[in-house]
Amino acid sequence: MSSALDSSLRAALGKGRLDIPLLPESASQVVALAGDPDCEARDLIAVVKRDQSLMAHLMRVANSVLLAPEVPIVSLQLAVSRLGLSRVRDIAVAAALKSRVFAPGRHAELVRRLFRLALATGFYSQEVARLRRKNVEQAFLAGLLRDIAAPAICELIGESEVEADEILAALAEFVPAASAEMIESWRLPAGLAAVARFAATPELAGAAADLCRAVRLAHGLALEVLEPERATDMEDDAAALNLYQDDLARLRERRDFVLALVESSA
Amino acid sequence: MSESEHFEFVVIGAGPAGQKAAIQAAKAGRRVILIERENRPGGACVLRGTIPSKTLHETAISLLRVQRGNTGLIERGSGLGLPMAAMMARVDDVIEAHQNYMADQIARNGIELVHGRARFIDARTVEVEAPGGMRRRVGGDFVVIATGSRPRDPEDVPVDHENILDSDSILSLAWLPRSLTVLGGGVIASEYASIFAALGVEVVQIDRYEMPLGFMSRPLVERFMSSFADLGGRFVGQAEVEDVVFDGVSAVRTRLKDGRVFESEKLLFALGRVANLEGLDIAAAGLEANSRGMFDVDEHGCSGVPGIYAIGDVAGPPGLAASAMEQGRRAVLHALGLPDGDGRDLIPTGIYAIPELASVGLTEAAAAKAGRDVVVGSAEFGELARAQIAGNCEGLLRIVADGDGRFVLGVEVVGESATEILHLGQAAILAGWEVDRLVDNVFNFPTMAEAYRVAALDVIGRRCLLVSS
């Protein structure tokens, strides 16, 4: 990464909290569904769940002091159960209407790739948790939000003529801390912030080390499907999570489903 | 592939059964290898079963004690806002301590503990695959299969470990659900149903039988059901489930064949367990599973193939850690032609529900089934000073004596700490005590052991009536 990019990002990030942009099609889908009398709750839930940004907005509001839920909301099911369906619908619509829509620019394609990767990571995190009989509900959110700051940082880079490799290096440098800070500010469980902060160093994540490693494995599986040229070695994480070769094979069998899922999303 | 390395005992599975088998073999001076698929010893007992669930049980009991002792100050359901992790705060420490203790014990006895999954090559050779894919072959004069069991994955109930859970994944919940449907009437179902009810969760337990825990005596089960109802739980018996579906939003809907529908935030499927035999390639060893997917074994754990033993959950009921350990010890003693001592049939049953239920020796129901006369004496916990002090008056202890009312043949207890209280009765049975010794000897006062004295007096009273009639 060039020193110019490094210093400009440091300066921009130092100014305050990042704002996550929404993908325009997600916003319009939510608004359309909410206005459709025949729309079923599960349709709306499905749209929200498939969009990293929308989900993040919803979790932020659901955990806000204003609503003061009795337990931290870490999934849409929990949000509906504790806040009620109509309130969750209202939050989703408000998020869709009030949030800034991502401006298409030089790096629009990369942002879309990141959204797809986040969704696939969330999905695989859930599958890893399911296989290991760990908390599936929280795993999805942990995977989905791990790199939540990435689209916003791409926006900060703006229209600068920066090579893709350099952007990826910048994301690797700045996304973990920025994502963790965002998650912490939303009052989500500390483990989710630790997953973001220690994405590359799960061994430092303390009590969240296991979840952190599981999400890193999920991220590896997502890369293998969506961006095979960036695929990483997953053997160490799999072994640390006590997953055998056939367990990994079973996770890889979900490839087509993941592809269909991300294709149907934003 | 390298040639196999030879051991005298190859033990597959380091749960309670396998661990005890390995230690017994090592103590007899034999060279032993112990193969475990998890990265630490302990098996489901330590990681997903006995120890974690009992930790939650202890938390629920503590909460109940506080509620009982502070009437009005702490309401039922106060625990609902607490994270599960907080309720099981000590579980990781307990598991780690237990695993460390076991690992030390295994190492101290010179047993080689190997992390990997086993597969039979033939009746004397096993291949071990590590998580990374590395393989190693080991051979043994004796092979002991102790791979345990896991919750059954039903075809008709879509267990997703998120909304519809089994007894492994229920402990992974981050937060207590507001409501829980429990399918099943056995030990695991009844334990979790009562524990979650005690924690303030709205619980409905559904089973096809009229009452849960059908193998326990009716008076004990009635006491359990009454307590469950007091905790806010509801038991729906003689019910057949038509289907279970997650509504895609926030609720699990359970529809019964009679049309009734129950909705809850989560559902626990706790109907049966299956033996962990997949991947073992038992056919290569000449072994065959029975129709229930387990091994038919004789009283020593012999599988039918010379030199291969099957112990613990893979050999079927009772599926208790205590009996699995004993099976492990005895299988090895049999293999070595050593005597295995007495007490074979006197393995206690303990159910860590709220309240706990426990029994040892002859039960009234078993005696009736066998057409055997017995005299049964009871002690209500409410009659005991210690129980009054502890606010634990809902229990019952029963002594089952022979038809003449002289010898203690069985003991049954329901109530707080029943699984501990039972052991005095077990010792009395093993020692062949007459009922009168429980009256003639002095126990500390006030203690729960006094229940034995009260129940023994009841037996003696009934015996006198028998004589006079």
Side-chain angles (χ1 to χ4, degrees):
Chain A
M1 184 183 5
S2 69
S3 60
L5 180 60
D6 183 84
S7 5
S8 74
L9 283 177
R10 275 181 206 286
L13 287 169
K15 281 184 186 164
R17 196 176 294 171
L18 285 173
D19 182 19
I20 323 164
L22 279 192
L23 285 177
E25 51 271 43
S26 298
S28 57
Q29 265 183 305
V30 167
V31 174
L33 280 172
D36 179 358
D38 296 328
C39 157
E40 287 202 19
R42 75 177 81 188
D43 299 330
L44 184 72
I45 294 293
V47 171
V48 174
K49 201 172 175 181
R50 287 175 190 186
D51 188 288
Q52 179 197 32
S53 178
L54 205 46
M55 181 81 159
H57 278 285
L58 198 138
M59 290 295 124
R60 179 174 57 81
V61 179
N63 285 289
S64 66
V65 176
L66 183 68
L67 294 178
E70 60 185 2
V71 300
I73 304 296
V74 294
S75 72
L76 280 170
Q77 285 101 306
L78 201 53
V80 173
S81 159
R82 302 299 159 106
L83 303 178
L85 181 60
S86 60
R87 183 166 273 179
V88 169
R89 193 196 321 251
D90 291 348
I91 297 171
V93 173
L97 289 173
K98 291 182 180 173
S99 300
R100 191 168 48 79
V101 171
F102 181 75
R106 183 182 289 275
H107 309 300
E109 183 48 39
L110 175 61
V111 169
R112 285 186 186 281
R113 273 170 53 197
L114 293 171
F115 268 79
R116 287 154 54 99
L117 199 56
L119 178 59
T121 303
F123 172 79
Y124 272 125
S125 298
Q126 206 171 17
E127 291 303 296
V128 172
R130 216 185 295 281
L131 193 64
R132 302 178 66 228
R133 308 291 190 267
K134 299 286 182 183
N135 187 282
V136 176
E137 221 167 355
Q138 184 163 306
F140 178 76
L141 197 62
L144 191 73
L145 300 189
R146 190 187 80 154
D147 299 330
I148 185 67
I153 290 179
C154 278
E155 274 201 323
L156 288 179
I157 295 170
E159 295 299 307
S160 327
E161 285 194 27
V162 183
E163 293 297 323
D165 286 352
E166 202 178 347
I167 297 178
L168 290 176
L171 293 179
E173 171 73 22
F174 293 106
V175 165
S179 298
E181 280 163 25
M182 290 171 98
I183 294 168
E184 278 162 359
S185 72
W186 300 334
R187 304 171 69 230
L188 289 174
L192 298 183
V195 166
R197 193 177 299 282
F198 302 106
T201 51
E203 63 280 6
L204 303 178
D210 187 82
L211 179 59
C212 200
R213 214 179 268 284
V215 172
R216 187 165 75 172
L217 175 69
H219 186 71
L221 289 161
L223 278 175
E224 211 173 65
V225 173
L226 299 175
E227 301 186 19
E229 68 285 356
R230 290 175 60 209
T232 52
D233 180 25
M234 291 175 279
E235 294 295 328
D236 285 352
D237 283 333
L241 297 169
N242 203 44
L243 294 176
Y244 288 78
Q245 297 299 302
D246 58 334
D247 293 326
L248 268 181
R250 219 182 310 166
L251 290 167
R252 285 183 169 119
E253 280 170 13
R254 304 292 275 157
R255 177 192 168 86
D256 290 346
F257 183 85
V258 174
L259 277 173
L261 188 75
V262 294
E263 290 309 328
S264 69
S265 66
Chain B
M1 181 68 62
S2 60
E3 279 190 14
S4 67
E5 189 181 351
H6 186 78
F7 291 82
E8 284 156 292
F9 277 85
V10 174
V11 181
I12 309 171
Q19 190 212 353
K20 283 289 175 287
I23 286 170
Q24 183 63 58
K27 285 199 181 299
R30 301 305 199 269
R31 188 169 182 230
V32 186
I33 185 166
L34 178 57
I35 303 162
E36 172 54 46
R37 64 155 291 151
E38 299 291 339
N39 44 21
R40 299 296 302 274
C45 165
V46 172
L47 292 170
R48 302 187 191 92
T50 314
I51 288 185
S53 67
K54 274 55 184 180
T55 308
L56 191 61
H57 172 268
E58 283 304 306
T59 303
I61 290 281
S62 303
L63 195 64
L64 273 183
R65 281 193 195 121
V66 173
Q67 284 167 354
R68 283 174 186 154
N70 297 276
T71 315
L73 283 179
I74 300 171
E75 292 174 1
R76 188 178 164 271
S78 303
L80 281 178
L82 295 173
M84 281 279 278
M87 301 204 180
M88 298 175 71
R90 287 185 313 112
V91 75
D92 289 341
D93 293 340
V94 173
I95 288 174
E96 193 181 348
H98 203 68
Q99 286 182 322
N100 286 343
Y101 159 74
M102 283 187 292
D104 284 350
Q105 198 180 28
I106 289 164
R108 209 169 45 241
N109 283 282
I111 298 163
E112 184 176 343
L113 178 63
V114 176
H115 180 198
R117 284 194 311 207
R119 179 174 73 89
F120 278 103
I121 301 300
D122 57 42
R124 292 286 179 276
T125 314
V126 164
E127 184 177 83
V128 186
E129 180 206 359
M134 293 278 286
R135 287 179 159 79
R136 169 187 179 188
R137 282 189 183 184
V138 294
D141 298 331
F142 299 99
V143 180
V144 181
I145 306 171
T147 46
S149 66
R150 63 181 185 281
R152 183 168 72 87
D153 196 7
E155 285 177 9
D156 50 349
V157 176
V159 176
D160 58 11
H161 306 293
E162 185 176 4
N163 304 295
I164 302 171
L165 304 125
D166 65 20
S167 55
D168 281 357
S169 48
I170 188 82
L171 291 166
S172 73
L173 287 174
W175 304 95
L176 281 177
R178 280 187 172 158
S179 54
L180 177 73
T181 301
V182 177
L183 298 188
V187 173
I188 294 172
S190 301
E191 286 183 350
Y192 279 120
S194 60
I195 289 170
F196 278 99
L199 289 169
V201 177
E202 192 185 317
V203 179
V204 174
Q205 185 180 4
I206 299 172
D207 193 43
R208 60 187 165 138
Y209 296 108
E210 182 196 358
M211 297 173 88
L213 302 169
F215 61 95
M216 298 297 285
S217 290
R218 199 174 175 102
L220 273 71
V221 178
E222 283 171 350
R223 199 61 65 100
F224 166 76
M225 289 179 73
S226 156
S227 171
F228 183 50
D230 288 346
L231 293 171
R234 179 178 170 198
F235 180 80
V236 178
Q238 295 177 306
E240 295 274 339
V241 174
E242 177 70 30
D243 56 30
V244 174
V245 287
F246 175 60
D247 69 0
V249 182
S250 65
V252 180
R253 205 163 287 141
T254 306
R255 193 157 55 99
L256 303 186
K257 288 200 167 145
D258 62 14
R260 282 180 289 174
V261 175
F262 295 90
E263 239 180 47
S264 56
E265 203 173 300
K266 304 282 178 189
L267 178 138
L268 167 63
F269 178 85
L271 277 163
R273 296 181 69 85
V274 292
N276 291 325
L277 300 184
E278 78 291 346
L280 265 182
D281 196 5
I282 56 172
L287 291 162
E288 212 175 306
N290 62 24
S291 58
R292 290 171 298 132
M294 294 163 176
F295 290 117
D296 288 324
V297 296
D298 68 11
E299 59 187 311
H300 307 293
C302 297
S303 67
V305 172
I308 301 184
Y309 291 78
I311 53 173
D313 287 6
V314 292
L320 299 169
S323 57
M325 291 182 207
E326 183 61 7
Q327 287 168 6
R329 197 178 70 84
R330 286 169 188 276
V332 169
L333 290 172
H334 180 264
L336 297 174
L338 297 170
D340 59 6
D342 57 4
R344 185 187 305 279
D345 300 322
L346 208 60
I347 292 175
T349 297
I351 300 169
Y352 293 81
I354 297 177
E356 293 178 8
L357 301 95
S359 75
V360 66
L362 187 68
T363 63
E364 187 181 21
K369 204 172 171 185
R372 185 173 178 180
D373 287 335
V374 289
V375 177
V376 179
S378 303
E380 292 284 346
F381 281 14
E383 300 170 45
L384 311 174
R386 182 59 181 262
Q388 291 285 355
I389 293 165
N392 168 29
C393 298
E394 291 150 18
L396 172 73
L397 181 144
R398 305 173 87 222
I399 292 176
V400 180
D402 65 333
D404 296 329
R406 301 214 74 84
F407 291 96
V408 183
L409 301 180
V411 175
E412 304 170 320
V413 193
V414 58
E416 198 172 316
S417 303
T419 53
E420 291 286 355
I421 294 167
L422 186 78
H423 291 126
L424 176 56
Q426 184 178 3
I429 298 167
L430 279 169
W433 278 13
E434 289 192 28
V435 172
D436 301 58
R437 291 190 75 170
L438 293 165
V439 177
D440 297 340
N441 284 285
V442 179
F443 296 126
N444 272 327
F445 178 85
T447 60
M448 294 305 291
E450 209 193 343
Y452 281 95
R453 189 184 167 85
V454 175
L457 282 168
D458 192 23
V459 171
I460 291 167
R462 290 171 193 274
R463 181 174 77 198
C464 292
L465 286 175
L466 280 177
V467 172
S468 62
S469 63

